[in-house]
Amino acid sequence: MNVVVIGAQWGDEGKGKMVDYLAQNAQAVVRYAGGANAGHTIVIGDQQYALHQVPSGILYPGKTVYLGSGMVIDPQALFEELQMLKDRGINWEGRVFISDRAHIVLPRYRQIDKERDAARKRPIGTTGRGIGITYSMKSERDGIRLADLDWAEKMQDLEKEDLDFLEQYKEKLISMRVNISSEMWKYRNKNVLMEGAQGAMLDLDLGTYPYVSSGLSCSAGASVGSGIGPRKLDKILGVFKAYTTRVGNGPMPSEFDENSQSELYKFVRDTGREYGVTTGRPRRCGYLDLVALRYACRTNSIDDLLLTHLDVYDSLNEIEACVGYEIDGKIVTEFPASIEDLNKAKPILEKFPGWKKSLKECKTFKKLPKEAKNYIKYIESYTGTKIGIVSVGYERNETFILRNPWKK
C-alpha cells in the first residue's frame, strides 16, 4: 500500500513527526520533493532530531529510505546530516538511497538564489539554499542529475568550481543512486510511505504564486517523485496545525495582527515553538484558515487529515478559526488565486470555547474534552474531510489514531 503524507498548509505542519509515527508500519519511506530548505523535527524521549533531506523514517532500525526524483540534493548538507545521524548512533549505511533522476544543488546556486531574491521588487523570502535556482536550471534543461555524474561530456560543461565540489562527493553519490521506479516495483506488495516537503499552499501550481516553493509539494508530486503511476497512490494524508503558520513573504489572510494581538501572537509562537528548523526565522502565526484548508483537501484528494499542535490551545478560554474572507465588502468562502484579493482579505472568525485542560494524557478521541471534540468535528464538517490522527504533543506517544492510515 502506498500512503502519501503532505503538508496541508504553508509548511511546518508537523509532517516530520507524523511520518516518523507512520513509518513503524512501512517497509520503505520515500521523500519525493524539496531539498535542504525543508526542516522536519522529530522528538523521541529526550532526543530531538532535525532532518532536512533524509526521510524521517531513517530513525527506525531496518527501514529503507529513498530521496526521490523530485528532490534537489545538496551533497554537502546531505552528508553532514548523515554524519550527524551516525554520531548519534543511527546506523544509516545501506539504508539510504537516492534516485538517479534527482538533481544536484551546486554551491554557487546559493549565492545566485540570495542575489536574485534581493533584486526582486517583491522578494519571496527564500531560504537562500539554492533550491529555487536548481529547480530553475532543471526546467531550463541545464541542470545536473545523479545519473549524469559519469557522463563525461556533461561534466565538461560544468565550471571548474562545480567539478571540484562534485569530486568530493562523486563516489559516495554514485554508490547510493538507484533507479527508483525499479525499487518501488520491488515494494509493490508492501507498505511504502511517501513524504512531501513544504505544504500544499506552497505548491508551484496550486499555491499562492509567486510566493511558493519551486517544487511539487502537492500530492501529485508523490507519483512523479517516487517513480510510480498516479493510480498506485492508495491514500493521501494531509497534515495541518490547529492554527496556521507561514515562513517568508506572501499572503496569509488569517494572520494575527502583531500590534493589536501581540500577546496572542507571542503565546502561539512560543508555546508552539514556531521558529524555522532550517532558518531559525520566527514563523508568522494566525487562526486556523479553514478556507485554505478545504481548498488543499479538494485539490490534493486528501482522504484523511492529521491534526497537530492541538495542545497549544490548552490554556485558552476561547479559540477562533477563519471560516471566510471579507474582500472589498464581499464574503468569500472559496480560496482565490489573486494575490491582491488575498492581501485585502479580512478573516471572518468563528468562536469556540476552550477546554482549559492539558491534552497530553489523552490517548483516544473519547478521552478528549468535549470542547476539543467539537472543534475537531467542526473542522471535519467544514472541510468535508475526516481527521484520522491527532497529535497532542511532540513525543511519538503523544499521538492517537481515529482512522487506520494503512487501511484502504
Side-chain angles (χ1 to χ4, degrees):
M1 185 172 177
N2 295 320
V3 173
V4 181
V5 177
I6 68 166
Q9 295 167 310
W10 278 278
D12 308 306
E13 304 93 347
K15 294 183 296 298
K17 177 191 172 174
M18 286 300 181
V19 170
D20 171 71
Y21 183 75
L22 294 168
Q24 58 190 313
N25 296 114
Q27 280 72 55
V29 180
V30 181
R31 166 80 182 277
Y32 65 81
N37 56 337
H40 295 169
T41 303
I42 301 159
V43 179
I44 305 171
D46 61 353
Q47 295 292 310
Q48 179 171 306
Y49 299 86
L51 300 177
H52 301 278
Q53 294 182 90
V54 180
S56 304
I58 193 62
L59 299 180
Y60 282 96
K63 304 292 182 184
T64 304
V65 302
Y66 295 89
L67 283 67
S69 303
M71 285 191 69
V72 290
I73 310 298
D74 181 330
Q76 180 180 349
L78 173 62
F79 287 108
E80 287 175 356
E81 189 171 323
L82 290 171
Q83 185 61 49
M84 176 274 292
L85 289 170
K86 186 175 182 179
D87 291 344
R88 297 181 66 178
I90 306 297
N91 182 18
W92 62 265
E93 284 91 345
R95 298 198 292 129
V96 180
F97 300 96
I98 311 172
S99 169
D100 52 11
R101 287 176 166 81
H103 279 245
I104 297 173
V105 181
L106 297 173
R108 59 187 172 88
Y109 293 175
R110 297 176 199 155
Q111 189 60 32
I112 297 172
D113 195 2
K114 293 172 184 175
E115 291 173 355
R116 185 173 293 183
D117 201 44
R120 288 187 171 103
K121 291 182 178 179
R122 288 177 292 278
I124 292 169
T126 74
T127 60
R129 301 300 297 265
I131 307 302
I133 301 302
T134 310
Y135 277 117
S136 177
M137 297 289 281
K138 175 180 178 177
S139 297
E140 293 173 7
R141 290 155 289 183
D142 290 320
I144 179 166
R145 309 169 302 164
L146 265 72
D148 303 329
L149 288 174
D150 41 18
W151 178 13
E153 291 181 20
K154 177 68 175 180
M155 298 298 281
Q156 288 174 5
D157 295 339
L158 298 178
E159 297 181 14
K160 184 180 184 303
E161 65 178 292
D162 300 333
L163 292 171
D164 291 343
F165 171 75
L166 288 172
E167 192 60 37
Q168 305 171 66
Y169 305 104
K170 184 176 177 179
E171 287 188 18
K172 290 181 181 178
L173 290 170
I174 289 175
S175 71
M176 296 166 69
R177 73 183 181 187
V178 293
N179 181 323
I180 198 166
S181 179
S182 297
E183 292 293 304
M184 290 302 99
W185 181 252
K186 297 174 187 176
Y187 285 96
R188 64 190 180 280
N189 296 319
K190 298 180 180 179
N191 286 345
V192 177
L193 192 60
M194 297 169 179
E195 174 185 2
Q198 287 80 49
M201 304 308 294
L202 290 173
D203 182 75
L204 186 61
D205 291 300
L206 300 176
T208 50
Y209 185 90
Y211 301 99
V212 292
S213 182
S214 300
L216 294 176
S217 52
C218 61
S219 59
S223 172
V224 178
S226 303
I228 64 171
R231 288 191 295 174
K232 296 300 181 183
L233 302 180
D234 296 297
K235 185 171 279 191
I236 297 165
L237 308 176
V239 186
F240 77 106
K241 287 174 181 169
Y243 48 93
T244 302
T245 64
R246 179 167 193 163
V247 172
N249 300 330
M252 184 180 165
S254 68
E255 186 171 11
F256 299 138
D257 186 315
E258 200 154 7
N259 295 317
S260 63
Q261 297 174 299
S262 58
E263 190 174 327
L264 178 61
Y265 211 126
K266 186 177 187 303
F267 169 80
V268 171
R269 180 180 282 167
D270 291 347
T271 307
R273 297 193 278 187
E274 296 300 347
Y275 297 89
V277 178
T278 301
T279 63
R281 289 184 291 184
R283 296 176 184 138
R284 298 158 62 190
C285 301
Y287 304 104
L288 174 61
D289 189 334
L290 288 169
V291 179
L293 183 61
R294 182 172 62 186
Y295 169 77
C297 290
R298 290 175 176 176
T299 53
N300 288 276
S301 297
I302 292 175
D303 294 295
D304 287 347
L305 286 165
L306 313 184
L307 171 58
T308 67
H309 289 66
L310 186 61
D311 54 298
V312 169
Y313 280 153
D314 282 355
S315 64
L316 298 185
N317 292 317
E318 184 179 75
I319 58 178
E320 295 177 278
C322 172
V323 297
Y325 308 141
E326 181 185 332
I327 303 174
D328 293 331
K330 296 180 180 179
I331 305 301
V332 174
T333 57
E334 297 295 335
F335 193 80
S338 167
I339 298 299
E340 185 177 11
D341 284 348
L342 288 168
N343 284 333
K344 290 188 292 185
K346 298 176 182 177
I348 298 170
L349 302 173
E350 183 80 20
K351 294 183 178 181
F352 302 86
W355 39 90
K356 298 290 289 182
K357 177 183 176 181
S358 174
L359 300 183
K360 286 188 178 295
E361 300 305 317
C362 297
K363 302 301 181 184
T364 65
F365 182 77
K366 287 183 179 180
K367 294 288 185 180
L368 290 174
K370 67 176 182 179
E371 295 85 359
K373 291 178 184 175
N374 289 338
Y375 187 54
I376 288 172
K377 289 174 181 176
Y378 188 91
I379 295 168
E380 290 181 325
S381 174
Y382 190 101
T383 61
T385 308
K386 290 290 186 181
I387 291 177
I389 297 179
V390 176
S391 168
V392 292
Y394 284 94
E395 296 277 359
R396 269 182 187 166
N397 61 4
E398 294 172 337
T399 313
F400 57 86
I401 294 175
L402 285 72
R403 289 157 59 88
N404 187 348
W406 293 104
K407 185 176 181 180
K408 292 185 182 181

